Coordinates of all heavy atoms in Angstrom, one line a residue:
L313 N 3.7 18.3 33.8 CA 2.6 17.5 34.2 C 2.9 16.4 35.2 O 3.8 15.6 34.9 CB 2.0 16.8 33.0 CG 1.0 15.7 33.1 CD1 -0.3 16.2 33.6 CD2 0.7 14.9 31.8
R315 N 1.2 13.5 37.0 CA 0.0 12.8 37.0 C -0.3 12.2 38.4 O 0.1 11.1 38.8 CB 0.1 11.6 36.0 CG 0.2 12.0 34.6 CD 0.3 10.8 33.7 NE -0.1 11.0 32.3 CZ 0.8 11.2 31.3 NH1 2.1 11.2 31.6 NH2 0.4 11.5 30.0
E317 N -2.7 10.9 39.7 CA -3.5 9.7 39.9 C -2.7 8.5 40.3 O -3.1 7.5 40.9 CB -4.4 9.3 38.7 CG -3.7 9.2 37.4 CD -3.5 10.6 36.7 OE1 -3.7 11.6 37.3 OE2 -3.1 10.6 35.4
R351 N -1.4 17.9 38.3 CA -2.8 17.6 37.8 C -3.6 16.9 38.9 O -3.1 16.0 39.5 CB -2.8 16.8 36.5 CG -4.1 16.5 35.9 CD -4.0 15.9 34.6 NE -3.7 14.5 34.7 CZ -3.5 13.7 33.6 NH1 -3.6 14.2 32.4 NH2 -3.2 12.4 33.8
D354 N -6.7 11.9 37.8 CA -7.5 11.6 36.6 C -7.7 10.0 36.6 O -7.3 9.3 35.8 CB -6.6 11.9 35.4 CG -7.3 11.8 34.1 OD1 -8.6 11.6 34.1 OD2 -6.7 11.8 33.0
K359 N -7.4 4.0 33.9 CA -6.7 4.1 35.2 C -7.7 3.8 36.3 O -8.2 4.7 37.0 CB -6.0 5.5 35.4 CG -4.7 5.5 34.6 CD -4.0 6.9 34.6 CE -4.6 7.9 33.6 NZ -3.9 9.0 33.4
R377 N -15.2 9.5 35.2 CA -13.7 9.8 35.2 C -13.4 11.1 35.8 O -14.1 12.1 35.6 CB -13.3 9.7 33.7 CG -11.8 10.0 33.4 CD -11.5 9.8 32.0 NE -10.1 10.3 31.8 CZ -9.4 10.2 30.7 NH1 -10.0 9.8 29.6 NH2 -8.1 10.6 30.7
M448 N -6.9 21.0 31.4 CA -6.5 20.2 30.3 C -7.4 20.4 29.2 O -8.7 20.5 29.4 CB -6.5 18.6 30.6 CG -5.6 18.2 31.7 SD -3.9 17.9 31.1 CE -4.1 16.6 29.9
E450 N -8.5 18.4 26.3 CA -8.3 17.0 25.8 C -9.6 16.3 25.2 O -9.6 15.0 25.0 CB -7.7 16.0 26.9 CG -8.4 16.0 28.3 CD -7.6 15.3 29.3 OE1 -6.6 14.5 29.0 OE2 -7.9 15.5 30.5
I470 N -2.7 21.2 26.6 CA -3.4 20.3 25.6 C -2.9 18.8 25.8 O -1.7 18.5 25.6 CB -3.1 20.8 24.2 CG1 -3.5 22.3 24.1 CG2 -3.9 19.9 23.2 CD1 -3.3 22.9 22.7
G471 N -3.8 17.9 26.1 CA -3.6 16.5 26.2 C -3.9 15.8 24.9 O -5.0 15.4 24.6
T472 N -2.8 15.7 24.1 CA -3.0 15.2 22.7 C -3.4 13.7 22.8 O -3.9 13.2 21.7 CB -1.8 15.4 21.9 OG1 -0.7 14.9 22.6 CG2 -1.6 16.9 21.6
N473 N -3.0 13.0 23.8 CA -3.4 11.5 23.8 C -4.9 11.3 23.8 O -5.4 10.6 23.0 CB -2.8 10.9 25.1 CG -1.4 11.2 25.3 OD1 -0.6 11.4 24.3 ND2 -0.9 11.1 26.5
D474 N -5.6 12.1 24.7 CA -7.0 11.9 24.7 C -7.7 12.7 23.6 O -8.7 12.3 23.1 CB -7.6 12.3 26.1 CG -7.4 11.3 27.1 OD1 -7.8 10.1 26.7 OD2 -7.1 11.5 28.3
L475 N -7.1 13.9 23.3 CA -7.7 14.7 22.2 C -7.8 13.9 20.9 O -8.8 13.8 20.2 CB -6.9 15.9 22.0 CG -7.5 17.0 21.1 CD1 -8.9 17.4 21.5 CD2 -6.6 18.2 20.9
R484 N -7.4 4.8 22.4 CA -5.9 4.9 22.5 C -5.3 3.6 23.0 O -4.1 3.4 22.8 CB -5.5 6.1 23.3 CG -5.9 6.0 24.7 CD -5.7 7.4 25.4 NE -4.5 7.4 26.2 CZ -4.3 8.4 27.1 NH1 -5.1 9.3 27.4 NH2 -3.2 8.3 27.8
C521 N 1.1 18.7 26.6 CA 1.7 17.7 27.4 C 1.5 16.3 27.1 O 1.9 15.4 27.7 CB 1.3 18.0 28.9 SG -0.5 17.6 29.1
G522 N 0.7 16.1 25.9 CA 0.5 14.7 25.4 C 1.8 14.2 24.8 O 2.8 15.0 24.6
E523 N 1.8 13.0 24.4 CA 3.0 12.4 23.8 C 3.5 13.1 22.6 O 4.6 13.0 22.2 CB 2.7 10.9 23.5 CG 2.5 10.0 24.7 CD 3.8 10.1 25.7 OE1 4.9 9.7 25.2 OE2 3.6 10.6 26.8
Ligands
PEP603 C1 -3.4 13.3 27.4 O1 -4.5 12.9 27.4 O2 -2.7 13.7 26.4 C2 -2.6 13.5 28.7 C3 -1.5 14.1 28.8 O3 -3.2 12.8 29.8 P1 -3.2 11.3 30.0 O4 -2.2 10.7 29.0 O5 -2.7 11.1 31.4 O6 -4.6 10.9 29.8

Side-chain angles (χ1 to χ4, degrees):
L313 171 66
R315 290 179 161 101
E317 56 274 13
R351 181 171 77 181
D354 187 13
K359 287 174 275 193
R377 177 173 176 182
M448 295 279 299
E450 50 187 345
I470 304 179
T472 53
N473 309 335
D474 277 318
L475 187 59
R484 62 193 260 193
C521 67
E523 290 306 296

